Amino acid sequence: MGSLAPLLPGTVALVGGGPGDPGLMTVAGRAAVEQADVLLVDHLAPAEALAWASPDALVVDVAKLPRGAFTPQERINELLVEHARAGRRVVRLKGGDGFVFGRGMEELLACTEADVPVRVVPGVTSSVAVPALGGIPVTHRGLVQGFSVISGHVPPGHPASTLDYAALARSGTTLVVLMGVATLPDITATLVENGLDPTTPAAVIARGGHPDQRVVHAPVIEIAARAAHLAPPAITVIGEVASFAALSAVSAATADVVSHTLEEVI
Ligand code: SAH
């Protein structure tokens, strides 16, 4: 029962699809996909998961690609409600966890405001899983007692930025930056200007969990230049734990977790 209870007609399931490897979807996420009459999917959700859907299911691509065609969030909200009101079992499948930079609560509120029953199926968030797939723990006993996950979408100094980079620089936590490929030079420079040691280990993991995953590691002061050739989606990890990326690359020959990582040791 609980998250495995049958998905009833006229209901919506907001499913976190994990970072891209279909094996990292939850059992409840897969069950919801299998029962769906309609799936509204993002580009970061595992494409292979659609093979679990009924051949009769309607699959709608609502990806929001930078500079590409996209479906506005308001329209996605409307589609969820419209399909549910038509008596369909609706699955909203997106990458990672829907409540971590995923606009999941906006979709949940759209459903509840329309009196559409809605279920949340949490997903494996890339903010923790992608560092792990790159051989990096976000915490490590004796080394770091916390981690901060930030969006790099709005660069430091931008009027819309609400992040306190001075506080982040001295937080003593591992910093995990999502959506920060274009803004990484700005972000790392700002952290160093605010007192972060420029030799702090850092790593960028691109396309974590995909066969073409890449990991680049370098001191924070150099990481943006060294990783400039990597395309999104990518995550940057800044902190002492990032040095494990280098260590695990050396010893990874037998380790499943990173055996498919094409390591670019700088
Ligand atoms: N809700 C998602 C995050 C959405 S924001 C979650 O919980 O994972 C999108 C950002 O997630 C990307 O810009 C990138 O920083 C990160 N991301 C998602 N999947 C990734 C992957 N497979 N590899 C690297 N980064 C990923």
Side-chain angles (χ1 to χ4, degrees):
M1 291 306 282
S3 63
L4 287 174
L7 195 60
L8 299 176
T11 65
V12 170
L14 303 175
V15 176
D21 174 346
L24 296 178
M25 264 186 72
T26 64
V27 174
R30 177 172 180 157
V33 167
E34 287 170 350
Q35 296 171 78
D37 300 308
V38 182
L39 295 112
L40 306 183
V41 295
D42 272 355
H43 71 293
L44 286 177
E48 295 89 340
L50 297 177
W52 302 328
S54 154
D56 302 328
L58 172 66
V59 177
V60 186
D61 179 358
V62 292
K64 292 197 242 7
L65 290 172
R67 291 176 292 279
F70 70 99
T71 308
Q73 185 64 47
E74 296 66 32
R75 183 64 193 134
I76 296 174
N77 297 353
E78 285 169 9
L79 285 171
L80 291 171
V81 170
E82 284 169 19
H83 283 298
R85 282 191 171 151
R88 303 186 184 110
R89 284 166 289 223
V90 185
V91 165
R92 172 75 173 106
L93 179 61
K94 53 177 71 189
D97 182 276
F99 284 2
V100 179
F101 304 132
R103 305 188 72 164
M105 187 48 88
E106 294 168 54
E107 296 174 356
L108 187 147
L109 291 173
C111 292
T112 54
E113 279 161 17
D115 280 331
V116 167
V118 57
R119 172 186 303 179
V120 176
V121 182
V124 174
T125 178
S126 65
S127 52
V128 174
V130 165
L133 293 166
I136 302 172
V138 291
T139 67
H140 188 71
R141 187 175 161 83
L143 201 58
V144 63
Q145 297 177 347
F147 57 100
S148 308
V149 179
I150 66 168
S151 165
H153 184 63
V154 176
H158 189 282
S161 173
T162 58
L163 293 172
D164 182 342
Y165 279 89
L168 289 168
R170 60 169 184 269
S171 70
T173 66
T174 303
L175 301 181
V176 181
V177 186
L178 273 64
M179 294 180 279
V181 170
T183 54
L184 196 57
D186 259 2
I187 290 171
T188 51
T190 304
L191 289 168
V192 171
E193 278 161 24
N194 281 283
L196 185 72
D197 181 345
T199 66
T200 305
V204 176
I205 305 108
R207 291 189 53 77
H210 293 272
D212 56 347
Q213 171 174 308
R214 295 282 192 286
V215 183
V216 169
H217 39 85
V220 66
I221 195 71
E222 292 172 26
I223 190 71
R226 298 285 179 90
H229 61 291
L230 296 180
I235 280 183
T236 303
V237 184
I238 302 167
E240 292 304 322
V241 288
S243 59
F244 283 117
L247 289 177
S248 56
V250 173
S251 61
T254 57
D256 263 346
V257 67
V258 284
S259 62
H260 62 283
T261 295
L262 295 170
E263 188 70 21
E264 296 173 30
V265 179
I266 308 293

